[in-house]
Amino acid sequence: MIPDDAVVSAAWDDLLERDGQVLVLVGNDVTLLSPLASEAALYCTGDGVTVAALTSYLEGVFGAPPSGDPGAAVREVLAALQERAVLSITR
């Protein structure tokens, strides 16, 4: 499990925002992000943010997930973005 104090940072090489959609380039791979993943990727630029801060931010933007556990929902998104090398997580 990713701890609340882990730092999430942007790892993409380039990002294109157009008509409400976000494409990220990592190496030679292009990924179209969902609205939630887009917010996460944009929010984590610079020095990065903790998982707890990102969870709070995303809950403020999108509201609570249907599962009722924002931390679990954010961790699922983070795992997918880390797998695609869009975000890096430092524990």
Side-chain angles (χ1 to χ4, degrees):
M1 183 170 147
I2 303 168
D4 280 343
D5 62 347
V7 176
V8 183
S9 303
W12 39 267
D13 297 318
D14 203 1
L15 180 138
L16 174 65
E17 243 183 308
R18 184 172 175 182
D19 298 329
Q21 293 189 321
V22 173
L23 289 170
V24 292
L25 176 67
V26 178
N28 292 323
D29 295 326
V30 176
T31 302
L32 175 63
L33 301 182
S34 70
L36 185 113
S38 298
E39 281 294 324
L42 291 168
Y43 192 71
C44 294
T45 58
D47 294 334
V49 296
T50 64
V51 172
L54 178 61
T55 300
S56 178
Y57 171 76
L58 292 173
E59 186 176 14
V61 172
F62 293 98
S67 68
D69 185 354
V74 167
R75 283 172 176 80
E76 283 183 39
V77 171
L78 289 177
L81 293 176
Q82 185 179 30
E83 184 177 308
R84 298 285 304 162
V86 172
L87 297 175
S88 67
I89 301 169
T90 307
R91 298 175 184 168

